[in-house]
Amino acid sequence: MLPSATLSTFLIPILFISISISISIFIFITPPTNAAAVPRFREAPKFYNSASCPSLSPSPSDPNAIHVAMTLDAAYLRGSIAAILSVLQHSSCPENIAFHFVSSSSPDLRSTLSSTFPYLHFQIHPFDSSSAAGLISTSIRAALDCPLNYARNYLADLLPSSLTKIVYLDSDLVLVDDIAKLAATPLPNSAVLAAPEYCNANFTSYFTPTFWSNPSLSLTFANRRPCYFNTGVMVIDLRRWRHGGYTTKIVEWMELQKRIRIYELGSLPPFLLVFAGNIAPVDHRWNQHGLGGDNFRGLCRDLHPGPVSLLHWSGKGKPWARLDANRPCPLDALWAPYDLLRTPYILES
């Protein structure tokens, strides 16, 4: 048996080595603290059209292409990359999809997209965040107050005037079905947008008592059957949006919110005020939302009953953050296969 002094002398270097190794691994796997830092991603495979697809040149203005609009920034880029991959992987005509990214962030995002998806048809549309920043009221979660969350209000102005119809998608979702089915959603009776509705939700909870106690405000929903809908998945007729001046209508409600607090939840209530009760229906399978839990704790949630075409981690908990923290929810395993984040070589080896 070794003497105590000898044993201490023997263990100290081992302890030092163990601590050094632990610190090194921690440095490698911790996400960058600089919010503007752009992570690196593996190159995605190229996806080809099936034989039945029409031959198109999906330029950003080709009306025959499927046009997908998303916001893009460094903070949610990992989610955006996964969403793009899921759209392409499950599409029967991936070469006929044109992506429109609205961004106010680093120019590095363009090179990141090009290197990750060398064959992607896309255009980045700059968004001046100051146009929304002055209208944002503090909400129940700080992440909801990012000006880019409000870029969907201005899509009709930001995208090419030749575009007539788009599918808008959030960055915290993945598709497991062909987006062409969603894009083909009809918009009858002058409907401006289509989305899954949830009429069993407590609609009154989305607005303050001040709103409901003021007849001039609450009568907004007169002769309408307003239902909650999630704005993370929408099919939008841009022509009708422009013709009806709906950006102005949304902005007017945001301006009122700055004077009288009529809601608490970020960018959703103005959409409900303008559109609830007047939208085209979409099957619930196209927005299995709420997988990020509530806006306070982000607890794990199960899927809603029924089939699934789109998984949406709306709420506080994001799958990539929970996976990195080694505290994933069971359904986060369904997001992981679409994660293209490039891990450090030392960990891969």
Side-chain angles (χ1 to χ4, degrees):
M1 182 173 182
L2 292 173
S4 298
T6 306
L7 184 61
S8 299
T9 304
F10 178 72
L11 288 177
I12 288 173
I14 294 177
L15 181 59
F16 178 78
I17 292 171
S18 299
I19 294 173
S20 300
I21 293 173
S22 299
I23 292 174
S24 298
I25 294 176
F26 179 78
I27 291 172
F28 275 121
I29 65 176
T30 300
T33 55
N34 181 1
V38 177
R40 297 176 61 203
F41 299 92
R42 303 188 307 276
E43 182 179 321
K46 182 178 181 180
F47 297 95
Y48 297 90
N49 283 353
S50 64
S52 59
C53 295
S55 180
L56 299 178
S57 175
S59 70
S61 58
D62 188 335
N64 296 311
I66 295 173
H67 294 273
V68 179
M70 301 175 66
T71 57
L72 197 67
D73 67 349
Y76 278 76
L77 185 58
R78 190 170 170 189
S80 301
I81 294 292
I84 297 165
L85 177 61
S86 73
V87 170
L88 297 173
Q89 183 171 320
H90 295 285
S91 173
S92 57
C93 304
E95 295 177 279
N96 294 352
I97 301 175
F99 285 85
H100 299 264
F101 300 108
V102 176
S103 177
S104 56
S105 300
S106 165
D108 293 340
L109 296 177
R110 180 180 295 277
S111 60
T112 299
L113 282 174
S114 297
S115 61
T116 308
F117 300 100
Y119 309 101
L120 192 70
H121 303 283
F122 74 91
Q123 184 174 356
I124 294 181
H125 307 273
F127 174 62
D128 181 4
S129 59
S130 64
S131 59
L135 297 170
I136 297 174
S137 301
T138 303
S139 63
I140 60 176
R141 182 158 61 90
L144 299 175
D145 300 337
C146 171
L148 199 60
N149 284 341
Y150 294 81
R152 73 193 79 186
N153 301 354
Y154 305 92
L155 287 175
D157 302 323
L158 295 170
L159 302 184
S161 58
S162 57
L163 283 189
T164 59
K165 187 178 183 181
I166 60 161
V167 177
Y168 174 82
L169 300 176
D170 270 354
S171 297
D172 52 358
L173 53 79
V174 294
L175 276 76
V176 292
D177 202 344
D178 193 340
I179 195 171
K181 300 175 185 176
L182 178 60
T185 300
L187 291 161
N189 302 322
S190 301
V192 176
L193 64 83
E197 288 185 295
Y198 300 87
C199 294
N200 58 342
N202 180 9
F203 190 82
T204 60
S205 66
Y206 293 98
F207 303 94
T208 64
T210 300
F211 174 86
W212 293 113
S213 63
N214 187 327
S216 64
L217 297 177
S218 58
L219 283 174
T220 300
F221 295 113
N223 303 317
R224 291 158 64 180
R225 183 172 179 258
C227 296
Y228 162 79
F229 66 93
N230 180 278
T231 54
V233 180
M234 297 184 289
V235 180
I236 303 175
D237 187 312
L238 294 174
R239 287 178 302 183
R240 293 175 183 173
W241 183 295
R242 296 179 184 118
H243 181 72
Y246 286 98
T247 294
T248 299
K249 293 177 181 179
I250 290 173
V251 167
E252 287 174 348
W253 282 112
M254 294 176 66
E255 291 172 342
L256 179 62
Q257 164 76 353
K258 295 290 287 187
R259 301 194 302 271
I260 307 172
R261 197 162 183 85
I262 58 174
Y263 55 80
E264 305 289 351
L265 188 64
S267 61
L268 170 64
F271 266 80
L272 297 179
L273 286 161
V274 174
F275 294 111
N278 291 322
I279 69 173
V282 176
D283 192 280
H284 289 180
R285 69 189 302 155
W286 286 106
N287 197 351
Q288 284 271 354
H289 68 287
L291 304 186
D294 59 87
N295 281 302
F296 298 100
R297 291 180 293 173
L299 301 178
C300 298
R301 286 183 176 174
D302 293 328
L303 290 172
H304 307 294
V308 180
S309 292
L310 185 151
L311 299 148
H312 187 187
W313 279 262
S314 56
K316 184 178 181 180
K318 302 306 175 189
W320 56 89
R322 296 194 292 214
L323 288 164
D324 285 352
N326 202 26
R327 294 195 300 271
C329 292
L331 291 176
D332 295 344
L334 300 177
W335 180 89
Y338 302 98
D339 186 13
L340 290 176
L341 184 70
R342 185 187 296 277
T343 55
Y345 175 78
I346 189 171
L347 296 181
E348 290 180 351
S349 63

